[in-house]
Amino acid sequence: RFRFAHDRIHQAAYTMMSKKQQRDDHMKIGLAICRYVLEYNENDYDMMFIGVNQLNQGGPDALSDERQHFTIAQLNLKAGQRALALTDFPSAFSFFDHGIKFLRPDYWKIHYQLSLTLFSAAVESACALSDATHVTSFTEVVLKHSQCLEDRLAVL
């Protein structure tokens, strides 16, 4: 197994990579970790957090397959829900926010339930962080796209 002898060597090698290569590598590592967790130990939340964080560092632009956007948004939702259960509101908000960023155009039409759940959870965690700006912006999105009164009430 290859390992850097010193953090500065690792950092120097990393900064020599192009931004695209960095994103692609984060995405590959994150996908491998998440695949492992989902196949062998779904309850290993520490590894899931590590894997989803790697995916988020890769970002939506590192994906070529449109289906992966949906899957990674779901993984962010799962990680965010677990972080909420642990009362780690900053991490939960970060996961929900990244999950929203992985949604594709017309996400409310294509993946209504996932969109509603991500935005509602983002409102909840932003509220716990007293982040009025995000509470307002995410609430407005839900109110604009929600299909029924019950869905609107979830964010009010």
Side-chain angles (χ1 to χ4, degrees), residues 24-35 50-51 54-55:
D24 290 348
D25 285 356
H26 282 296
M27 190 58 65
K28 287 176 192 171
I29 292 166
L31 288 171
I33 292 171
C34 288
R35 191 173 298 118
I50 290 168
Q54 286 292 314
L55 295 172

Side-chain angles (χ1 to χ4, degrees), residues 78-96:
K78 186 174 182 176
Q81 289 170 329
R82 181 61 184 162
L84 265 183
L86 296 171
T87 64
D88 183 357
F89 300 116
S91 293
F93 177 79
S94 178
F95 287 125
F96 298 138

Side-chain angles (χ1 to χ4, degrees), residues 26-128:
H26 282 296
M27 190 58 65
K28 287 176 192 171
I29 292 166
L31 288 171
I33 292 171
C34 288
R35 191 173 298 118
Y36 171 80
V37 170
L38 292 173
E39 287 180 20
Y40 298 107
N41 191 359
E42 278 193 59
N43 295 322
D44 188 349
Y45 292 106
D46 291 335
M47 284 301 290
M48 182 177 59
F49 290 154
I50 290 168
V52 175
N53 277 320
Q54 286 292 314
L55 295 172
N56 292 340
Q57 286 182 42
D61 294 336
L63 296 175
S64 56
D65 183 352
E66 286 295 315
R67 292 172 295 175
Q68 287 179 324
H69 289 270
F70 174 75
T71 301
I72 294 173
Q74 286 181 308
L75 288 169
N76 269 287
L77 175 62
K78 186 174 182 176
Q81 289 170 329
R82 181 61 184 162
L84 265 183
L86 296 171
T87 64
D88 183 357
F89 300 116
S91 293
F93 177 79
S94 178
F95 287 125
F96 298 138
D97 188 44
H98 279 95
I100 290 167
K101 290 175 183 167
F102 275 96
L103 294 172
R104 303 318 304 149
D106 295 331
Y107 51 88
W108 282 97
K109 292 177 185 170
I110 300 167
H111 301 295
Y112 178 81
Q113 194 57 50
L114 176 60
S115 301
L116 177 65
T117 306
L118 274 170
F119 275 89
S120 298
V123 168
E124 179 184 352
S125 58
C127 194

